[in-house]
Amino acid sequence: MTAQVLAAELSALLQESKKKNADIRNAADKSLNDLKSLPNTSEAQLAAGKSSGSFFYGFSNVERDLRNRPNFIRPFIVACNSKNQKFAGIAISSLQRLAALKGIAAEYLKDVLEAFRDCSGLSLDIQLKVLQALPSLLQNYAASIKGRLLWVAFQLLSSTFEKVADEDATPRESSPSVGISVSGQDLSIRSAASDAFNLLNDICILTEGGKSKALPAAALSQTFGLDLIESIAVHFGDTVVVHLEQVDVFRTRVIPLILKILSDKSNFPSTVRAMRLIHFVLSRLLSAMPVECESVLELINDLLDLDSTAHWKRVLCLEEFRALHSEPALIRRIYAHYDEQSDHINIIRDHLASLVRLASEKPSAVGLGQETSVPESEAGNSDEEAAVQAGGLVGTIGATATATGSGAPGITTRWSTVKTACIDLLDKSEAPTLPPTYIYSLVLTCVNSFSEGLAKFLLPFTLPSDGKSKRKQRGISNAADLVGSNKPEGEAITVQRPEEAGNGVYQLRKIPINPLDLKEHLLYAQIQTSGQMIEHCWPAVLATCSTFLNATLDSDNYHELIRSFQKFTHVAGLLGFATPRDAFLTTLGKHSLPRQHPASPKTPNAPSPNSQNSDQEYADDQDTSPARSVASGNQKQPESSRAVVLTTSRNLLCLRALLNLGTALGPVLHKSWSIILETYQQVDNLVPRTEGSNSKLGRQIAQTAVTVDLASEITAMEAAASRLFESTKDLTNPSFVNVVSALCDLLSGITDILDENFNEGARKLLSPAATRRHHRGSSVSIATFDGHAMIQGNIFALEKLGQIAKSNVTRLAECSTSKTGWTLIVEAFINTLGTYHLDSQVRLRAAQEILTLGGAVVMCPDFGSREPQDVARCRGLNALSTVVSSLQKPPYGKSKSSLRCDIEIHEMTIERLYTILEKCGESLIGGWQAVFSLILSIFDQPSLKGPIVEAIRQTPLPKSSKLVKTSFTSLQLINSDFLTSVPRKHYIVMLDAVYCFSAQAEDLNISLTATTLFRNISDFLESKDDLRAVDGDLIACKSNTDLFEMIKAVDRDVSPLELWIYLQLHLTFLTTDSRLDVRDSKLLRLH
């Protein structure tokens, strides 16, 4: 019967093409001859099968014989390629029959499918025949249709949906409509849309195992049916979403099928294809079917938490979430549809909560420990990994690597990834063997992508409106991508400083815009959703990241983790969420410190706080004052009893991210600066320093630094810190004051510890327990473990306070000291250098910083007018004067080293004054009172009891012989170069200063030189025209005492004649000097 039908169709094709197509005629004639030459056994068996009721026995032989003649189908293929309606109709019917018989040779499947594709553009009846032939072809040759063959099969379906798109582009009146009922709703659709609807609906029915309605009855494998549905969804998603009838097919057919496959213990191929369909449903049909999508997402979340779920199925769920996180806009839509609505379940929050549980479900698998580490099989491959394995502790040997490859704990690109994701394995019939840690690598990727997506969306909204600020802030957001790079020089969040403007005017960085304030923006709803995501999801993100921060990760994964961690902190800070911002900053701060830091449990070889040897070993000669005892105990500790704790490259990476966050969030950090600065202070004390490493401890540190080779990381960290402090120049005054306050609190926090112990009369070493305290308003503890660390902590705070002061000299030179932080800075320096029981190098550093600042303010460029500049210069000189006045304390209770330090600070101050006078003495108007006060400060103040003349005639007593020469050079410079610049009202104190240096007994040469200064001043006064003008008050003076009291009266102007007489009286006093050389010199001047 089959041979007869085929023969009839070949004959018809031969008859139709006899005069029209020679190729078809020749091919049909040859195939007809082949059919007639079939073995008699085939027909006999066919007849026997029919007579015996065993039809399929003969059918099988016909199938075999036809497959052995592959050219038999050639006339049908040529007929289809001709695109002639009659030829194609006959050919497609024959090909459909051959496909049902499995009579098509495998090597000709490609030609058959291309023939079907050529006919898909013909009339509707031809298209229907193609669709009717397709199920038989797919059913019998599904295993052979791969690659391009499968693509050709999809092209057959595509032609139907392409016609729908073309039909939608034409006016509705131009084509007839068909009425259908969809979910109880009557719809009117056009013919192409009806064909597409029937095709999609039947494919879904056949995939479910049911009977088709429009297509001929045929079976369709579930996997192939899912492939067809996915092809339609991927390539014609735009058409599907605008046709309610097709959306309804997805709602009533596809979604239930997906839920059934995922809920049941379906095989791997079907589950993979169901997962692939989920992404289209969520991305394109979320709004059209919110209830169904909620069910799918809830099921995926549940599958992640079920212990009974197969491992590969949990991996597929995470791969689907990974795909969702790669589209941040889709995550926001899901959150807005469900998490923000009270009548829906929390999808994103539950998902992130499941990530927390997944990350920590098997601590041994991810290598969870007290701090991060490098996978064992990679240990020793780099200096960074060697440092992490050593734990940053000299003398500590890391655990021996005993496992390598996929069985070793930890997440690495070597054994925690797969070449092809499970969701893309369409050619696998069984689930592949997956790396044990692949699922945790997916968890890490999901949380990283979540943070990256928030930052990518929100950061552009924070840019100020002007173009320059946009360029600057664009540099910030782009540079954030570099934090996690392996290159040490790759820095996160950098800020370009604005160009210097003329006349000393500095430019301020605009405060970043809080996106939540952009209520009129078109995307405000999405901005608000992102803010809600940060506000409610940050605990889960922090918990997951904290787990991985203590896990075993390779370099690439760790850098990615730090990058995403930083970006989440960045956007949380810019949106004004202080709690998550501070929590993330604190976590970064804690991971910037090595495990053996004193804030952690003490190491076994740590010295006892009550060790008597360490208390006596470094006593200072025979100095036994209380202050020296405390300072000695705080400064030194036997090197052999201290563990050498060094930071690692990963600690430095965390610190670098923290510092860069400070640069980016500076305008909005407020009180949270303390977290960043305290962390930096503690890490700075642990950074290897090789300068002057002559001790055993120093050599040990130097050797470790060479072994670990942290130089590049240290350089990158220091560069980030430098940018952080330089960026304070661009802050507004309130933001700058916040930085200053944090540094001042950091400094006072350390000195307060010393004050408490000194007041108690402590004479023993300060133990970690005694010195550990929590700083106000901070989550990072100030933990100092020996006197050396305490000294370094003080010096660090002073150095950084001086650094930001020098970067903001123009700001600090403004008139309003309360708004710029000048008062805070000066008080911090003065309180430190005036605390005489502090270590000398700390006090000297404080003095150096304030003297540098005072000099810089005095020599600050012109503001454009004299008045502001005079105010700034007076401010700087008064700061120098305050330094000296802070030293004017009784020597009771001071140690010898403290007294020596006082003299050294005093000498530094006078030297700074000389430098200032050299550079700007000629233009100095205000501040002369402070200048002469500093010059005279080297002498002990005479007693003012009795007549003022007697007080002046007392022999001046210098505090130190070293100070006499240093101070006199400044006075000599004024007298020789700047007499015309000194206001008349300050000549009295200048004459007093000259007399003091003439009368002092420490240096005779200076006394003799000082007498010549009287002559210079006298000649200057004598050149004044009003020297001969006699005041009535001058005539009324009856004694030297009256004259001195009148001249020194503050509320009156002094005439040149009065000053000249005052000078002569000083010379008269010198005639009674006990030194003959001095007396002779003055008598010569009198004559």
Side-chain angles (χ1 to χ4, degrees):
M1 182 66 182
T2 303
Q4 295 175 358
V5 173
L6 290 173
E9 291 177 345
L10 283 172
S11 299
L13 188 61
L14 181 64
Q15 187 66 28
E16 290 289 338
S17 62
K18 182 174 293 187
K19 296 181 180 181
K20 297 179 181 178
N21 193 310
D23 291 338
I24 298 176
R25 183 182 68 249
N26 295 334
D29 185 57
K30 184 177 180 180
S31 296
L32 186 59
N33 292 330
D34 289 341
L35 184 62
K36 292 179 180 179
S37 65
L38 283 175
N40 294 329
T41 53
S42 296
E43 291 298 333
Q45 289 171 349
L46 180 60
K50 290 177 64 177
S51 62
S52 62
S54 178
F55 171 78
F56 293 101
Y57 177 76
F59 181 82
S60 176
N61 285 279
V62 173
E63 165 197 338
R64 182 191 61 195
D65 292 335
L66 290 178
R67 282 203 307 269
N68 292 332
R69 291 172 171 77
N71 290 325
F72 179 79
I73 65 170
R74 176 166 175 73
F76 306 124
I77 293 176
V78 175
C80 291
N81 293 337
S82 68
K83 298 184 180 180
N84 181 279
Q85 298 280 358
K86 290 185 178 180
F87 297 161
I90 298 171
I92 291 175
S93 298
S94 300
L95 289 174
Q96 178 186 0
R97 192 178 307 278
L98 288 171
L101 290 174
K102 297 183 181 180
I104 301 175
E107 59 267 25
Y108 275 88
L109 284 174
K110 176 182 176 181
D111 296 332
V112 172
L113 291 172
E114 288 180 349
F116 282 176
R117 185 184 61 179
D118 292 338
C119 294
S120 61
L122 300 179
S123 61
L124 290 178
D125 59 329
I126 301 296
Q127 293 178 25
L128 180 58
K129 288 183 178 182
V130 171
L131 294 176
Q132 290 173 339
L134 189 60
S136 298
L137 186 68
L138 297 178
Q139 178 182 1
N140 293 329
Y141 294 94
S144 300
I145 301 178
K146 298 178 182 178
R148 182 176 175 179
L149 298 181
L150 185 60
W151 177 79
V152 172
F154 289 152
Q155 292 299 309
L156 295 173
L157 300 178
S158 300
S159 63
T160 302
F161 284 88
E162 286 173 355
K163 288 181 172 58
V164 178
D166 295 339
E167 187 180 66
D168 291 341
T170 60
R172 189 172 185 84
E173 296 79 9
S174 61
S175 58
S177 298
V178 178
I180 61 172
S181 178
V182 175
S183 298
Q185 180 181 1
D186 294 331
L187 296 178
S188 178
I189 59 176
R190 290 188 278 184
S191 57
S194 177
D195 293 340
F197 166 71
N198 292 328
L199 175 62
L200 178 61
N201 189 51
D202 276 3
I203 290 176
C204 293
I205 294 174
L206 292 173
T207 305
E208 295 171 356
K211 294 183 179 180
S212 59
K213 297 180 179 179
L215 296 179
L220 191 64
S221 67
Q222 189 177 71
T223 55
F224 203 86
L226 291 171
D227 284 336
L228 293 176
I229 297 172
E230 182 190 2
S231 177
I232 295 172
V234 171
H235 295 94
F236 301 99
D238 294 338
T239 302
V240 171
V241 297
V242 297
H243 283 264
L244 297 180
E245 71 280 2
Q246 296 182 27
V247 173
D248 186 71
V249 173
F250 274 85
R251 177 187 293 109
T252 59
R253 297 288 185 184
V254 178
I255 294 297
L257 178 61
I258 291 174
L259 293 175
K260 182 178 184 299
I261 293 174
L262 296 182
S263 301
D264 297 342
K265 293 184 179 181
S266 302
N267 57 26
F268 179 76
S270 297
T271 307
V272 167
R273 287 158 173 80
M275 281 291 182
R276 293 171 66 89
L277 277 172
I278 288 176
H279 192 76
F280 167 77
V281 171
L282 295 177
S283 60
R284 305 302 301 272
L285 302 176
L286 181 65
S287 301
M289 336 186 279
V291 177
E292 291 76 10
C293 291
E294 181 180 16
S295 301
V296 172
L297 288 167
E298 182 182 11
L299 178 59
I300 297 178
N301 272 333
D302 292 341
L303 290 175
L304 287 176
D305 288 335
L306 290 178
D307 295 335
S308 59
T309 305
H311 178 72
W312 58 265
K313 186 175 288 189
R314 300 176 78 193
V315 169
L316 284 174
C317 293
L318 276 178
E319 287 183 342
E320 176 57 35
F321 270 115
R322 179 178 63 180
L324 294 178
H325 282 295
S326 66
E327 300 182 29
L330 180 55
I331 291 292
R332 293 194 296 272
R333 288 174 56 202
I334 294 174
Y335 192 92
H337 269 87
Y338 306 114
D339 296 70
E340 287 186 348
Q341 308 299 325
S342 58
D343 55 342
H344 290 279
I345 62 174
N346 296 325
I347 298 298
I348 300 300
R349 297 181 198 175
D350 290 348
H351 161 61
L352 293 174
S354 67
L355 295 185
V356 177
R357 293 187 289 272
L358 271 172
S360 57
E361 69 177 2
K362 290 184 179 180
S364 59
V366 297
L368 194 62
Q370 294 182 0
E371 65 176 358
T372 184
S373 58
V374 176
E376 292 174 347
S377 65
E378 297 187 5
N381 293 341
S382 68
D383 292 328
E384 173 201 357
E385 292 156 358
V388 177
Q389 286 295 75
L393 184 65
V394 174
T396 299
I397 301 176
T400 303
T402 57
T404 59
S406 60
I411 301 174
T412 171
T413 54
R414 292 178 59 185
W415 64 69
S416 300
T417 57
V418 293
K419 291 183 179 179
T420 305
C422 288
I423 204 168
D424 294 327
L425 296 177
L426 298 177
D427 57 340
K428 300 293 183 181
S429 59
E430 298 292 337
T433 302
L434 299 171
T437 55
Y438 176 54
I439 188 170
Y440 306 112
S441 176
L442 290 173
V443 173
L444 180 60
T445 302
C446 286
V447 73
N448 288 344
S449 300
F450 180 75
S451 301
E452 295 270 357
L454 287 172
K456 186 177 181 181
F457 175 69
L458 290 172
L459 285 180
F461 295 105
T462 66
L463 306 182
S465 57
D466 63 284
K468 187 172 183 179
S469 297
K470 281 184 178 180
R471 290 192 298 272
K472 182 197 308 180
Q473 295 289 342
R474 191 177 297 116
I476 292 176
S477 58
N478 291 343
D481 294 335
L482 300 177
V483 155
S485 64
N486 291 327
K487 300 179 180 180
E489 65 272 13
E491 297 301 332
I493 310 175
T494 57
V495 177
Q496 304 170 3
R497 291 177 53 186
E499 299 178 356
E500 296 292 339
N503 298 326
V505 178
Y506 64 93
Q507 300 181 3
L508 299 179
R509 187 206 314 177
K510 291 188 177 181
I511 296 178
I513 299 173
N514 186 339
L516 294 176
D517 295 336
L518 303 175
K519 297 184 178 180
E520 302 299 325
H521 200 282
L522 294 177
L523 298 178
Y524 180 71
Q526 294 191 44
I527 295 173
Q528 199 171 29
T529 297
S530 300
Q532 291 289 323
M533 292 167 65
I534 294 174
E535 186 176 11
H536 293 98
C537 298
W538 72 264
V541 175
L542 179 60
T544 307
C545 291
S546 297
T547 299
F548 287 117
L549 284 172
N550 290 322
T552 301
L553 304 176
D554 65 356
S555 181
D556 291 338
N557 282 298
Y558 193 82
H559 280 71
E560 288 292 335
L561 175 61
I562 296 299
R563 180 190 289 119
S564 66
F565 196 90
Q566 176 187 346
K567 287 188 175 182
F568 192 94
T569 312
H570 191 189
V571 295
L574 292 178
L575 266 64
F577 296 120
T579 301
R581 177 200 65 199
D582 292 351
F584 277 69
L585 289 176
T586 301
T587 302
L588 268 180
K590 290 179 179 178
H591 286 87
S592 300
L593 297 170
R595 183 178 67 249
Q596 288 82 11
H597 189 263
S600 305
K602 293 193 298 182
T603 53
N605 61 343
S608 170
N610 300 320
S611 173
Q612 296 180 355
N613 294 333
S614 60
D615 191 31
Q616 299 294 330
E617 185 172 351
Y618 294 98
D620 180 25
D621 301 330
Q622 297 176 351
D623 190 355
T624 57
S625 63
R628 184 60 196 170
S629 298
V630 173
S632 175
N634 291 337
Q635 288 179 37
K636 297 182 179 181
Q637 186 178 356
E639 295 174 359
S640 60
S641 65
R642 283 207 309 266
V644 182
V645 182
L646 297 178
T647 186
T648 67
S649 57
R650 291 193 173 182
N651 297 138
L652 294 178
L653 180 65
C654 292
L655 177 63
R656 188 147 49 98
L658 190 65
L659 294 173
N660 289 323
L661 282 170
T663 303
L665 296 177
V668 295
L669 270 182
H670 306 299
K671 301 299 182 181
S672 299
W673 274 103
S674 58
I675 302 174
I676 298 173
L677 296 175
E678 288 175 15
T679 303
Y680 183 29
Q681 179 202 41
Q682 295 180 59
V683 176
D684 183 75
N685 189 55
L686 303 176
V687 172
R689 302 181 186 279
T690 59
E691 297 84 0
S693 300
N694 296 322
S695 64
K696 179 180 177 181
L697 174 64
R699 290 193 300 271
Q700 211 171 8
I701 293 177
Q703 291 171 2
T704 302
V706 172
T707 302
V708 179
D709 192 18
L710 296 179
S712 58
E713 282 294 346
I714 294 173
T715 301
M717 179 270 291
E718 290 175 346
S722 178
R723 282 195 301 272
L724 169 65
F725 292 112
E726 287 180 5
S727 69
T728 58
K729 182 176 181 179
D730 306 322
L731 298 177
T732 59
N733 283 339
S735 299
F736 177 72
V737 171
N738 288 331
V739 187
V740 173
S741 299
L743 278 171
C744 292
D745 289 345
L746 186 62
L747 181 62
S748 63
I750 301 174
T751 56
D752 286 348
I753 299 174
L754 291 174
D755 289 338
E756 293 170 4
N757 286 276
F758 179 78
N759 293 333
E760 294 173 0
R763 302 176 60 88
K764 60 183 179 180
L765 287 174
L766 294 178
S767 66
T771 58
R772 189 177 295 116
R773 66 188 289 271
H774 281 277
H775 193 61
R776 296 184 296 271
S778 171
S779 300
V780 180
S781 62
I782 299 179
T784 53
F785 44 92
D786 56 17
H788 173 77
M790 200 167 281
I791 292 172
Q792 292 301 322
N794 275 310
I795 292 178
F796 170 88
L798 292 170
E799 177 186 346
K800 301 312 174 186
L801 191 58
Q803 185 176 346
I804 66 169
K806 284 181 284 187
S807 298
N808 291 269
V809 169
T810 305
R811 182 202 306 271
L812 296 173
E814 287 185 342
C815 297
S816 178
T817 58
S818 60
K819 293 181 179 180
T820 60
W822 169 268
T823 303
L824 289 174
I825 295 174
V826 172
E827 286 181 354
F829 287 141
I830 295 299
N831 291 338
T832 303
L833 66 88
T835 305
Y836 60 90
H837 56 266
L838 283 176
D839 186 84
S840 295
Q841 57 180 312
V842 175
R843 298 181 63 205
L844 289 173
R845 187 55 185 258
Q848 178 185 348
E849 295 295 345
I850 191 173
L851 294 177
T852 302
L853 174 61
V857 170
V858 173
M859 294 179 283
C860 192
D862 190 4
F863 288 90
S865 61
R866 301 289 297 181
E867 183 178 355
Q869 188 179 43
D870 292 341
V871 173
R873 289 179 171 178
C874 289
R875 183 177 301 152
L877 290 169
N878 287 335
L880 269 63
S881 181
T882 307
V883 171
V884 174
S885 63
S886 67
L887 305 175
Q888 308 297 332
K889 295 181 179 180
Y892 174 76
K894 286 189 177 182
S895 64
K896 293 179 182 179
S897 62
S898 295
L899 293 174
R900 289 195 297 268
C901 185
D902 285 353
I903 298 301
E904 191 171 352
I905 292 174
H906 205 151
E907 186 178 11
M908 291 167 57
T909 307
I910 301 302
E911 289 174 351
R912 178 65 59 174
L913 175 64
Y914 181 80
T915 303
I916 292 173
L917 292 174
E918 272 190 320
K919 293 187 176 180
C920 58
E922 185 176 2
S923 61
L924 190 64
I925 297 178
W928 284 105
Q929 182 65 38
V931 171
F932 290 114
S933 174
L934 287 168
I935 293 174
L936 286 171
S937 65
I938 69 166
F939 299 102
D940 287 330
Q941 296 297 325
S943 174
L944 297 180
K945 294 181 180 180
I948 187 172
V949 175
E950 297 301 325
I952 293 176
R953 295 188 65 175
Q954 294 179 13
T955 301
L957 298 176
K959 297 176 180 177
S960 172
S961 58
K962 294 196 307 181
L963 296 176
V964 176
K965 185 176 181 180
T966 305
S967 183
F968 182 69
T969 54
S970 297
L971 181 62
Q972 198 173 12
L973 178 64
I974 296 172
N975 190 269
S976 61
D977 296 346
F978 307 132
L979 274 179
T980 56
S981 300
V982 180
R984 183 184 298 176
K985 62 181 179 180
H986 296 301
Y987 267 72
I988 295 176
V989 67
M990 182 174 63
L991 290 171
D992 290 341
V994 175
Y995 172 77
C996 288
F997 282 100
S998 299
Q1000 55 83 27
E1002 293 289 339
D1003 193 322
L1004 178 60
N1005 290 330
I1006 289 180
S1007 296
L1008 295 175
T1009 305
T1011 59
T1012 63
L1013 302 184
F1014 279 116
R1015 182 58 180 266
N1016 294 338
I1017 299 174
S1018 177
D1019 292 344
F1020 177 77
L1021 292 174
E1022 290 174 358
S1023 66
K1024 299 294 183 180
D1025 295 337
D1026 52 352
L1027 180 63
R1028 299 182 181 277
V1030 181
D1031 195 305
D1033 294 336
L1034 184 61
I1035 298 175
C1037 294
K1038 298 180 180 180
S1039 63
N1040 289 342
T1041 301
D1042 294 340
L1043 179 62
F1044 270 83
E1045 290 179 349
M1046 179 198 71
I1047 292 176
K1048 284 183 170 291
V1050 180
D1051 57 347
R1052 66 183 302 276
D1053 293 332
V1054 183
S1055 66
L1057 178 59
E1058 292 171 343
L1059 292 174
W1060 187 85
I1061 294 174
Y1062 190 71
L1063 181 150
Q1064 299 301 323
L1065 287 175
H1066 276 304
L1067 290 175
T1068 303
F1069 296 153
L1070 288 175
T1071 58
T1072 62
D1073 194 284
S1074 60
R1075 294 167 294 178
L1076 179 61
D1077 293 338
V1078 175
R1079 292 199 306 272
D1080 289 345
S1081 175
K1082 301 307 171 293
L1083 290 173
L1084 289 175
R1085 299 298 178 269
L1086 285 172
H1087 294 289

